[in-house]
Structures are given as C-alpha cells and as structure tokens.
Amino acid sequence: MRVVLAEDLYLLRDGLVLLLQSHGFEIVAAVDTGPTLLAALLEHRPDVAVVDVRLPPSFTDEGLQAALAARREVPGLPVLVLSQHVEQLYARELLADGTGAVGYLLKDRVFNADQFIDAVRRVASGGTVMDPSVIAKLVARPTPSSGTLTPREREVLTLMAEGRSNAAIGKQLYLSESAVGKHIASIFGKLNLPVSDDDNRRVLAVLAYLQNGA
C-alpha cells in the first residue's frame, strides 16, 4: 500500500515513516510543506495520505487545504489528517464532500501503533475514521433533534460516528446486533435521516447533522 506522508517535524516524520514501513506500507513521498504535499499527492496518487494539518509556510491549515485540493483533482483520494488539537472546523471541511475515505485523528493516537495503523488501513479502504475526542465534542452539544436521544442511543451514536460496525458496537456495549440495529433505526428516525446499511454513509450523515447543529 502506497503512502504519501506530510509532517514538518523531522523526528516525527522519520518515526512515522519507520512505523508505516514496519507494517508493510510503501512510503512514496515524505514531505514537510503544503505545496510539496499537493504536488506529491497529484504526482503519486497514493493509496492513502497521512497529513499533518499545520504545515509551512504559515503553519495554519496548509496540510488540510492541500489534501482537500488534491481530492478535488482526484475524487475519493484517501486522506488521514493528524492534528494537535480538536478543531471541529477541520473535521467539517474534511467531511464536506461526503465521499468517505477520510480520517481525523489527534496526534496523540500515533503513539498507539495498533490504533494508528488500523485507522490508516480503514481510511485507505474507503472508510471514515473520526477521533473519539472530536465525536465527544459533537455529541456533547445536542441539536434540537439529537437532544431527544436516550443515553443508550447517544452511546450508540458516538460509536457509529467513530466508524464502528454493528458487531463492534454490540460487543462494546454488551448488546446483541439486533438490539444495536433497533437503536440505530431509532436514532435515524429521531434525526430524520434515511436508514442505510452503508456504514460509511451513515457515519457521514450523522456527523454532518451534528456539525450543522453544533
């Protein structure tokens, strides 16, 4: 699996390269600025990009903007964004086109190698990965409709938004898959969203609704 990596801190960039290579990924480019990231993404069209939000020259959101620009040229290009802090605006921008194959993680998650590698693979396969801290912020600020959710439905919603399958949600909450399915149907009904068996699509729908009301 081919990866383009963007990180301006040399030691972290080198560490990520070694970590990804140790799990069988091929690093086709490792860059440290927004312009070089965009060029690398358009040249290599990797299986997945791992991108720091803040890159030179201004250290604002060059990494994110370069990734979004590349996705406009290469629709569905898988991008996993790393950020030092929770920024709901970044998550909203990343999800805006609704095509999936995106992820948003805090940099702290990198130190859990299994979790980080799993996130890279899930994004590369077309899934959506949102950091639990981002989801917690969104769910903690209820919209008029989401305020009617029961505590159990909020737990299910949070795990759904993290990209968890029905089986994984059931295992974590000690529920049967059929019970999880009933909770999900109730959630979509209360949020006026269509029920879908497409995990990626339903997560994007829930996140979009929560973000619009946040």
Side-chain angles (χ1 to χ4, degrees):
M1 194 175 293
R2 300 163 62 254
V3 180
V4 165
L5 173 66
E7 168 58 55
D8 65 293
L9 296 176
Y10 170 76
L11 289 178
L12 180 55
R13 185 171 68 250
D14 195 45
L16 287 171
V17 167
L18 293 174
L19 175 60
L20 289 164
Q21 287 176 333
S22 72
H23 284 81
F25 293 91
E26 177 189 357
I27 309 301
V28 294
V31 301
D32 61 358
T33 70
T36 54
L37 169 61
L38 179 57
L41 291 175
L42 295 180
E43 176 185 353
H44 296 287
R45 304 198 174 202
D47 298 304
V48 62
V50 179
V51 177
D52 184 6
V53 167
R54 298 174 185 267
L55 291 174
S58 69
F59 293 98
T60 53
D61 62 350
E62 284 91 346
L64 175 65
Q65 295 306 322
L68 293 176
R71 278 173 65 89
R72 286 192 289 271
E73 295 293 325
V74 187
L77 178 71
V79 174
L80 175 61
V81 168
L82 303 178
S83 179
Q84 194 70 42
H85 307 288
V86 174
E87 294 284 355
Q88 293 184 47
L89 176 61
Y90 295 159
R92 184 180 298 115
E93 287 192 72
L94 195 60
L95 293 165
D97 66 9
T99 59
V102 292
Y104 183 97
L105 288 182
L106 293 183
K107 282 190 174 181
D108 289 349
R109 307 294 176 190
V110 173
F111 298 106
N112 184 325
D114 291 339
Q115 186 180 54
F116 172 65
I117 294 299
D118 176 64
V120 175
R121 287 180 172 147
R122 283 166 59 194
V123 170
S125 66
T128 300
V129 178
M130 287 289 116
D131 194 285
S133 298
V134 176
I135 303 308
K137 258 195 171 182
L138 294 172
V139 177
R141 299 177 61 184
T143 66
S145 294
S146 66
T148 67
L149 299 183
T150 67
R152 176 61 84 185
E153 287 168 348
R154 282 182 172 280
E155 291 177 326
V156 172
L157 177 64
T158 299
L159 294 171
M160 281 175 57
E162 290 176 19
R164 304 302 174 186
S165 67
N166 286 13
I169 293 171
K171 183 176 181 181
Q172 184 155 336
L173 298 180
Y174 302 101
L175 297 172
S176 67
E177 282 195 54
S178 63
V180 172
K182 290 178 182 177
H183 282 305
I184 290 172
S186 176
I187 289 167
F188 276 107
K190 291 180 179 180
L191 299 181
N192 297 314
L193 295 168
V195 178
S196 171
D197 292 329
D198 186 323
D199 287 340
N200 186 57
R201 195 174 303 156
R202 72 185 190 180
V203 170
L204 291 172
V206 173
L207 283 173
Y209 182 91
L210 290 171
Q211 289 165 16
N212 288 337

